[in-house]
Amino acid sequence: MSQRVTVLWFPDWPVYAIGRAHGWDLLQPAAVIAEHRIYACNAAARKAGVKKGMKQRNALSVCPQLAVADDDPARQLAVHDDVLTAL
């Protein structure tokens, strides 16, 4: 019997999950913060100069319009479950 496996890769998953919960326009710069540092950011934020590991205050200085929120693994899991259910 053969099995099929589907793999989905969301490189900016934390930003998507948290942004969805906050109602962010994810085409605009957005980032998730953990311990006052950028944990994850989307393509728009990277284009503006934001990088993973950057201090939050530095990220906001290079990109004042950056939407930020704290990391929330429970919220990421809830959104993950929604995506799996939709599939």
Side-chain angles (χ1 to χ4, degrees), residues 11-78:
D12 301 330
W13 177 258
V15 178
Y16 171 79
I18 302 298
R20 183 170 177 232
H22 287 283
W24 293 344
D25 174 359
L26 293 173
L27 296 176
Q28 299 300 314
V32 172
I33 305 298
E35 299 178 15
H36 306 288
R37 292 191 177 272
I38 302 297
Y39 172 70
C41 58
N42 65 2
R46 287 189 296 273
K47 186 175 180 180
V50 177
K51 297 177 183 161
K52 185 176 178 178
M54 180 182 262
K55 290 183 179 180
Q56 179 180 354
R57 68 176 177 260
N58 293 348
L60 288 168
S61 71
V62 284
C63 184
Q65 69 274 24
L66 183 67
V68 295
D70 289 327
D71 186 28
D72 186 348
R75 187 165 305 222
Q76 290 181 45
L77 180 60

Side-chain angles (χ1 to χ4, degrees), residues 6-10 12-18 20-21 26 74-87:
T6 300
V7 177
L8 299 174
W9 179 47
F10 292 96
D12 301 330
W13 177 258
V15 178
Y16 171 79
I18 302 298
R20 183 170 177 232
L26 293 173
R75 187 165 305 222
Q76 290 181 45
L77 180 60
V79 174
H80 178 266
D81 291 342
D82 291 345
V83 170
L84 287 180
T85 300
L87 290 172

